[in-house]
Amino acid sequence: MLTNQPKWVDSIFKKLNRRDRIAQMFFVRAHTNLGKKYSDSVGLVIKREQLGGVIFFQGGPVRQAVVTNAYQKVSRVPLLIADDGEWGLGMRLDSTISYPYQMTLGAIQNKDLIYKMGIEVAKDFKRIGMQMNLAPDADVNNNPKNPVINYRSFGENKYNVAVKTASYMKGMQDGGLLTTLKHFPGHGDTDVDSHYDLPQLTFSAARLDSLEMYPFKELIKQGASGIMIAHMNIPALDNTPNLPSTLSKPIVTGILKEKLGFKGLIVSDAMDMKGVVKYFKNGEADLLGVIAGNDILELSENSDRAIHLVRKAVRSGRINMASINESVRKILTAKYWAGLNVKDTIVTQGVVAGVNRSASNALVQELANASVTLLKGKDYLKTLIPIRRTAIISIGVPSVTTFQKEIAKGYYNSVYYVLDKDANATQISNVAREIGAFDQVIVGIHDSRARPGNNIPLNAGIKNFIKELTTKNATFALFANPYNLAGLPGLENSKALIVAYQKEDFMQKSAAAVINNRLVPTGKLPVSILPNFKFGDGL
């Protein structure tokens, strides 16, 4: 994809001196939620150092568009603007759309819907002047206790992960967006978060090649534009003590470039993460990252120092300038492919409407409907009668939910009950006593956290109440990470069980539509929750 080098690339490349070329490899962090002083300070770094690109984090779409225009103005070579938007702009920016998490998408059987999502995400990014998404996540989440990938992965099955990642990647790339598969060679079986420490993978090279690397190998064949390297110590591939994969020449150059033949952009994971700077301090990590073969180093602790160290290493012969030139040509070719050869200013009027299109919202609901998974009770749901007395309980939330309101549209004779995650024994026993008088009980179990991790925060009393309800004729919908089924014993015995993956309203509407017999569920579990449920389960 990034192989042919047009005239524009040559002309820009020739204008850059050695220092400017090295600076193209460094991308700086930016935010628009930390005030003008912070934004201006980043602008000064860009102006002074003439870096290759910017990676935006939290903020808002209008502020980001305004700041991007300012940053592009002071940059002699157009900046490549990126964001880490695995589920769209909403992962980082307020007033924008969040699509379902990849774990939710892993349950969908129609991959064309995921391709469509990629197209929509590309429109959103381009509307606010971004050319690159540091996504999708191609990790195979084969460790249920993974603290950092988990719901960000399409699941535990390497074939399912490869197919779904390909659909999302191709949608974005066909929409004109550069993508970055992550985290090579595979961060799915770790129990350490590399933001805070250096995970170690102790698997054999054969296992890593056949499992963890499988989606990356498949997607390289299918034209992936970029790959991000993880910070993991992998003795089977490089036995240097405490060396993260990001800084390993045998992994970055030996395996990814030479063995797998990857020609696209190689991007380091954030160079300010503890997993990389814990053992390599004072800019040594940046230098080793360049030597290893990364094209782009994102979020160096100090890019000015890093550029200085790389220049010094070139002079002493520790780094070959030819490899830097190759990286810079790749970066410039990517900029050309993304349309940065034409000077453009983002129109800041109508930005919010531009990234909140009704077609996108409709697609979000379509994705939710296609993901919702029925694990038990296909026939039982058909026995529910709209006119009978129905108790609709939402557990884990402080007030009445969309799920309850939606269900009530189909069950005219219903009453709402709500039990917060920390409900006390009296509150629980009151609800337990009252629902005894009802013919039908429908229960939503809601995760209240911003991100759907494991260990849903429900107290022991609540968990016990759920277990008791499973012995009655109750229908359950879980609005949480499916791994939480393992921590809620009894649900495997329930009359009907729906997994709806996350807490958002679009998932609550989908689950309610299944219970109201208005939606035939087609989702399949993207992970196994042993011993009761396996990958691919779904009625």
Side-chain angles (χ1 to χ4, degrees), residues 120-360:
E120 292 299 307
V121 169
K123 287 179 193 165
D124 293 343
F125 268 64
K126 292 173 78 175
R127 178 62 186 87
I128 59 172
M130 291 198 284
Q131 300 82 32
M132 184 182 215
N133 192 357
L134 302 175
D137 192 305
D139 296 313
V140 180
N141 200 75
N142 40 18
N143 182 342
K145 293 189 172 70
N146 195 322
V148 62
I149 305 303
N150 202 307
Y151 64 88
R152 296 165 59 194
S153 158
F154 285 110
E156 73 181 20
N157 178 286
K158 67 181 182 182
Y159 303 108
N160 186 43
V161 168
V163 167
K164 304 281 166 67
T165 310
S167 299
Y168 188 18
M169 173 189 93
K170 286 176 184 166
M172 287 192 279
Q173 289 183 182
D174 288 353
L177 196 61
L178 293 156
T179 64
T180 318
L181 304 174
K182 61 193 187 187
H183 306 79
F184 186 86
H187 210 315
D189 197 352
T190 59
D191 50 13
V192 171
D193 183 342
S194 48
H195 289 86
Y196 306 111
D197 206 343
L198 180 64
Q200 189 174 55
L201 285 194
T202 53
F203 311 119
S204 69
R207 138 94 196 234
L208 290 161
D209 181 70
S210 66
L211 178 56
E212 273 76 11
M213 289 187 213
Y214 175 81
F216 295 96
K217 292 195 294 187
E218 284 302 302
L219 299 174
I220 287 169
K221 290 178 207 157
Q222 295 178 44
S225 65
I227 289 180
M228 181 186 287
I229 310 283
H231 302 313
M232 296 185 299
N233 181 247
I234 314 171
L237 305 182
D238 186 336
N239 59 13
T240 314
N242 300 324
L243 187 73
S245 35
T246 353
L247 313 185
S248 163
K249 193 166 186 177
I251 293 174
V252 179
T253 296
I255 296 176
L256 185 53
K257 284 177 154 175
E258 291 166 1
K259 188 179 167 207
L260 303 185
F262 181 59
K263 305 262 191 298
L265 283 175
I266 300 177
V267 184
S268 76
D269 206 344
M271 296 300 287
D272 57 1
M273 284 162 62
K274 299 288 179 288
V276 70
V277 296
K278 184 177 177 181
Y279 299 105
F280 298 91
K281 296 186 171 17
N282 305 322
E284 183 67 11
D286 297 314
L287 181 57
L288 290 175
V290 173
I291 293 172
N294 291 283
D295 300 309
I296 291 172
L297 288 104
E298 52 156 308
L299 319 183
S300 160
E301 290 185 306
N302 181 336
S303 46
D304 190 44
R305 173 182 69 189
I307 293 164
H308 175 74
L309 288 172
V310 173
R311 290 177 74 190
K312 205 166 131 187
V314 169
R315 286 197 293 271
S316 71
R318 208 177 150 191
I319 298 180
N320 184 346
M321 194 63 203
S323 71
I324 286 174
N325 288 341
E326 187 192 329
S327 288
V328 175
R329 282 185 177 277
K330 256 200 256 182
I331 293 164
L332 293 174
T333 305
K335 288 182 176 185
Y336 177 84
W337 181 88
L340 283 167
N341 55 313
V342 180
K343 275 243 186 287
D344 197 15
T345 305
I346 307 155
V347 178
T348 52
Q349 268 168 318
V351 162
V352 174
V355 294
N356 286 279
R357 300 179 304 285
S358 54
S360 310

Side-chain angles (χ1 to χ4, degrees), residues 5 16 57 114 151 201 234 273 285 393 404 470 490:
Q5 289 179 357
L16 301 176
F57 287 84
I114 299 168
Y151 64 88
L201 285 194
I234 314 171
M273 284 162 62
I393 312 171
Q404 290 171 299
T470 62

Side-chain angles (χ1 to χ4, degrees), residues 356-426:
N356 286 279
R357 300 179 304 285
S358 54
S360 310
N361 283 313
L363 179 62
V364 168
Q365 193 59 57
E366 213 180 332
L367 290 161
N369 291 349
S371 71
V372 73
T373 305
L374 180 62
L375 292 180
K376 297 198 71 179
K378 190 175 187 174
D379 296 328
Y380 180 73
L381 287 180
K382 296 192 176 96
T383 68
L384 296 176
I385 299 169
I387 53 173
R388 295 185 84 169
R389 297 198 64 206
T390 306
I392 311 172
I393 312 171
S394 271
I395 293 175
V397 282
S399 54
V400 170
T401 60
T402 298
F403 175 64
Q404 290 171 299
K405 291 176 193 165
E406 288 287 319
I407 289 204
K409 291 176 184 173
Y411 294 86
Y412 324 112
N413 197 356
S414 58
V415 179
Y416 300 150
Y417 293 95
V418 174
L419 282 170
D420 204 354
K421 61 182 178 16
D422 303 312
N424 63 37
T426 312

Side-chain angles (χ1 to χ4, degrees), residues 15-24 49-50 76:
K15 285 179 194 151
L16 301 176
N17 63 28
R18 188 178 275 187
R19 196 210 156 279
D20 292 338
R21 288 177 194 176
I22 295 166
Q24 281 296 304
E49 298 177 25
Q50 292 296 315
R76 290 195 295 275

Side-chain angles (χ1 to χ4, degrees), residues 39-51 54 67-79 343:
S39 292
D40 290 350
S41 71
V42 174
L44 287 173
V45 168
I46 292 166
K47 189 175 180 178
R48 189 170 63 239
E49 298 177 25
Q50 292 296 315
L51 302 172
V54 176
V67 167
T68 299
N69 281 336
Y71 291 170
Q72 290 288 22
K73 217 176 199 158
V74 297
S75 189
R76 290 195 295 275
V77 178
L79 294 157
K343 275 243 186 287

